[in-house]
């Protein structure tokens, strides 16, 4: 199951290609259908120079929230 959101990155500038303070459209996917705590995010729009499309796995929703703010439905 996945969900599209819009969020502002608050993590370290340049981490996984994200810029601190910039808003991104993301797709959030649960990595385990039995344990929805682990999630993967990916940028919805990919720049040609990006290799991994900002793909990043988080072990918990708390870990995700430590790096993202102003989260809303897309």
């Amino acid at each position: 199951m996945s969900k599209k959101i819009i969020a502002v990155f608050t993590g370290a500038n340049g981490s996984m290609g994200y810029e601190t303070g910039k808003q991104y459209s993301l797709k959030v996917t649960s990595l385990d259908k039995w344990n929805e705590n682990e999630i993967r995010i990916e940028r919805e729009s990919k720049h040609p120079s990006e290799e991994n499309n900002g793909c990043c796995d988080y072990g918990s929703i708390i870990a995700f929230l430590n790096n993202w703010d102003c989260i809303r439905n897309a």
Side-chain angles (χ1 to χ4, degrees):
M1 182 173 169
S2 65
K3 176 80 174 162
K4 292 183 181 183
I5 64 169
I6 298 170
V8 175
F9 185 64
T10 60
N13 196 45
S15 178
M16 301 302 293
Y18 293 105
E19 294 178 38
T20 304
K22 188 172 177 183
Q23 178 176 283
Y24 293 92
S25 294
L26 304 170
K27 179 175 80 170
V28 180
T29 307
S30 176
L31 293 179
D32 181 347
K33 68 179 182 179
W34 306 112
N35 178 2
E36 293 185 353
N37 291 327
E38 296 181 19
I39 61 172
R40 171 173 290 152
I41 63 161
E42 297 177 69
R43 267 191 295 268
E44 281 291 296
S45 58
K46 181 178 178 182
H47 189 274
S49 66
E50 296 169 355
E51 293 181 20
N52 71 356
N53 200 23
C55 184
C56 182
D57 295 347
Y58 288 94
S60 70
I61 191 66
I62 299 301
F64 172 76
L65 293 172
N66 284 333
N67 289 291
W68 295 90
D69 199 5
C70 303
I71 302 160
R72 63 186 189 278
N73 288 318

